[in-house]
C-alpha cells in the first residue's frame, strides 16, 4: 500500500521557488496528497507567487498557500504541519530540486519505514564547480545541506511531530531547529533513518559578508546547550565549531588594546601577537582548501578578523537570553 504524504515548503518566494516546484511537478511516482507553501515574508505579496504556482500544473489544485508572518522556518513548518492531514509530511527547502523519480523513491522510503521510525531523510547532492576548488561559502553549503537530520529534504510521520509539539519556534533561523527536533524525537523513543531518494541543492549566490552574518547561529547553539546539554554535539554528530578559539582570540585582541592604552607596551605586544597568530591560523584554515583567488582571499582575510568577536558576541548573548529556557513542550501553545 502506498503511503500518503504531504509536502510542506516554507518560502521567502525567492527566485529558486519556481525551479523547486517545477521539479516536484515533474517527478514520477505517486504524487503528494497535499502541498502547502508557507509564505514567510513579513508582508506577503501574492504577485511574485503567480509564476511559481503556475509551474505546478495538475498539482496546483491540491496546493494551499499560507502566511507565516516572517517568524522563521521553524514556525513556518509548524504552520504547514497544522494544515495537513496526511500520515506523512515531507519538508523541502525552497531552493532545492527533487530528483526525477523523487515521488516514487519517497513512497518507497516511507513504505520501508518500520512503525517506530519517525523520519526518513533524503540524499542531498550539491553541485560544485569541477574546474576549481570550492569556495568557503560553497563548502559551507555542502556541510549544511548534508548535515544529519537536515530538513532540506526530510519526511516525518505527522503523528510523531505532533507528539513532540513540532519545531521549536525559538529557533528563528534555519539553523539547529532540525537537530533539536530530531533529538526530541529520539528521546521520545522514535528512530530516524537515511532514505534513498535524491534531491539537488544548488549553491545560491551570496554576498561576500555571508559568513559574518552566519555567526548569528551561535545563539542557536547556546539554546541547544540549554535544551540538550553539552553532549548534544556528539549525539547529532555535529562539528563542535570554533567558538572557544574565537573567544580566546577576541579576548587577546581586547587585552592588547587595553594594555596599550595603559602604557604596558610589552604586555600589549604579547597579547597582540596571540591575536594575530589566532587570526592568521583561522584565515589560513579557510583559505587553504579554496580557489585562492584575489577576491576570495581578501574576503576571507577581512572576515577572519571580524568573525571571532561576532561569534563570541552571539554565543554569549545567546547564553544570557536562553539561561532559563524550558523545553519546547512547556512553552508551546
Amino acid at each position: 500500500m502506498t503511503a500518503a504524504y504531504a509536502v510542506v515548503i516554507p518560502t521567502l518566494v525567492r527566485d529558486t521557488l519556481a525551479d523547486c516546484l517545477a521539479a516536484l511537478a515533474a517527478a514520477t511516482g505517486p504524487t503528494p496528497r497535499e502541498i502547502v507553501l508557507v509564505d514567510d515574508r513579513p508582508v506577503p505579496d501574492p504577485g511574485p507567487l503567480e509564476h511559481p504556482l503556475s509551474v505546478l500544473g495538475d498539482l496546483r489544485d491540491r496546493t494551499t498557500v499560507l502566511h507565516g508572518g516572517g517568524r522563521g522556518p521553524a514556525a513556518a513548518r509548524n504552520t504547514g504541519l497544522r494544515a495537513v492531514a496526511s500520515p506523512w509530511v515531507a519538508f523541502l527547502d525552497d531552493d532545492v530540486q527533487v530528483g526525477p523519480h523523487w515521488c516514487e523513491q519517497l513512497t518507497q522510503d516511507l513504505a520501508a519505514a518500520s512503525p517506530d521510525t519517525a523520519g526518513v531523510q533524503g540524499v542531498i547532492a550539491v553541485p560544485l564547480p569541477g574546474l576549481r576548488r570550492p569556495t568557503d561559502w560553497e563548502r559551507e553549503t555542502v556541510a549544511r545541506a548534508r548535515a544529519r537530520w537536515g530538513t532540506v529534504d526530510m519526511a516525518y510521520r505527522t503523528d510523531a511531530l505532533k507528539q513532540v509539539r513540532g519545531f521549536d519556534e525559538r529557533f528563528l533561523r534555519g539553523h539547529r531547529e532540525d537537530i533539536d527536533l530530531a533529538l526530541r524525537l529520539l528521546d521520545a523513543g522514535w528512530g530516524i533513518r537515511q532514505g534513498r531518494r535524491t534531491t539537488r541543492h544548488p549553491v545560491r549566490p551570496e554576498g561576500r559578508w555571508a559568513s559574518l552574518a552566519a555567526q548569528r547561529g551561535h545563539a542557536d547553539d547556546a539554546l541547544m546547550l540549554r535544551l540538550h546539554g553539552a553532549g548534544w554535539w556528539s549525539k547529532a554528530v555535529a562539528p563542535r565549531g570554533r567558538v572557544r578559539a574565537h573567544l580566546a582570540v577576541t579576548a587577546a585582541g581586547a587585552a592588547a588594546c587595553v594594555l596599550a592604552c595603559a602604557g604596558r607596551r610589552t604586555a600589549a605586544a604579547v597579547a597582540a601577537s596571540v591575536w594575530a597568530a589566532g587570526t592568521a591560523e583561522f584565515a589560513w584554515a579557510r583559505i587553504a582548501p579554496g580557489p585562492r583567488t584575489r577576491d576570495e582571499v581578501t574576503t576571507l582575510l577581512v572576515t577572519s578578523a571580524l568573525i571571532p568577536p561576532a561569534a563570541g558576541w552571539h554565543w554569549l548573548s545567546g547564553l544570557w537570553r536562553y539561561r532559563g529556557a524550558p523545553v519546547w513542550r512547556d512553552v508551546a501553545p
Side-chain angles (χ1 to χ4, degrees):
M1 180 178 179
T2 301
Y5 67 96
V7 172
V8 170
I9 305 174
T11 181
L12 295 176
V13 195
R14 298 179 288 188
D15 294 341
T16 56
L17 179 59
D19 290 336
C20 174
L21 296 180
L24 178 61
T28 62
T31 55
R33 177 187 292 178
E34 311 157 84
I35 299 174
V36 180
L37 294 181
V38 184
D39 183 347
D40 202 38
R41 293 173 295 173
V43 182
D45 176 6
L49 273 172
E50 293 177 1
H51 171 60
L53 291 174
S54 69
V55 305
L56 283 169
D58 294 340
L59 295 180
R60 177 66 182 89
D61 292 339
R62 63 185 71 179
T63 301
T64 302
V65 177
L66 302 176
H67 300 309
R71 296 183 295 131
R77 293 189 190 105
N78 283 345
T79 297
L81 174 64
R82 287 190 286 268
V84 303
S86 301
W88 288 90
V89 53
F91 294 102
L92 295 173
D93 284 353
D94 70 350
D95 57 353
V96 305
Q97 299 159 17
V98 300
H101 309 292
W102 185 82
C103 294
E104 180 180 356
Q105 293 172 335
L106 172 62
T107 53
Q108 292 172 353
D109 284 345
L110 302 185
S114 60
D116 62 347
T117 296
V120 186
Q121 186 173 7
V123 177
I124 308 301
V126 180
L128 295 174
L131 300 179
R132 61 164 175 79
R133 290 185 288 186
T135 65
D136 181 65
W137 178 248
E138 289 167 343
R139 296 193 304 274
E140 178 67 17
T141 299
V142 171
R144 289 176 179 267
R146 296 178 180 173
R148 194 178 191 188
W149 308 322
T151 42
V152 174
D153 175 358
M154 174 66 86
Y156 278 118
R157 290 187 191 273
T158 305
D159 288 345
L161 292 182
K162 292 181 177 180
Q163 177 186 335
V164 298
R165 307 298 290 272
F167 292 86
D168 189 330
E169 297 180 11
R170 291 169 294 187
F171 291 94
L172 302 179
R173 291 163 291 276
H175 186 67
R176 306 303 191 199
E177 82 289 353
D178 41 16
I179 295 178
D180 166 74
L181 174 66
L183 290 177
R184 285 187 283 120
L185 285 166
L186 294 176
D187 289 342
W190 291 96
I192 302 173
R193 71 176 187 85
Q194 180 68 59
R196 301 180 64 183
R197 67 190 185 278
T198 58
T199 291
R200 183 173 179 266
H201 188 308
V203 179
R204 67 175 184 266
E206 285 288 351
R208 65 191 309 173
W209 310 116
S211 61
L212 186 60
Q215 301 313 306
R216 291 175 294 181
H218 284 287
D220 298 319
D221 288 349
L223 178 55
M224 288 292 294
L225 178 64
R226 294 302 190 198
L227 296 176
H228 300 285
W232 77 265
W233 304 92
S234 57
K235 292 179 183 178
V237 194
R240 178 83 183 194
R242 302 176 60 112
V243 69
R244 292 180 179 177
H246 290 332
L247 289 170
V249 168
T250 302
C257 294
V258 172
L259 291 168
C261 291
R264 300 178 60 181
R265 295 183 179 181
T266 300
V270 172
S273 297
V274 172
W275 173 85
T279 301
E281 182 277 328
F282 179 43
W284 180 244
R286 301 171 69 207
I287 292 170
R292 306 186 197 176
T293 62
R294 183 174 63 180
D295 285 347
E296 172 86 350
V297 170
T298 301
T299 298
L300 295 186
L301 285 174
V302 174
T303 55
S304 293
L306 297 176
I307 282 175
W313 167 258
H314 289 296
W315 168 255
L316 294 174
S317 63
L319 288 177
W320 174 257
R321 185 186 317 151
Y322 301 120
R323 61 192 182 280
V327 294
W328 177 240
R329 60 177 171 268
D330 289 343
V331 299

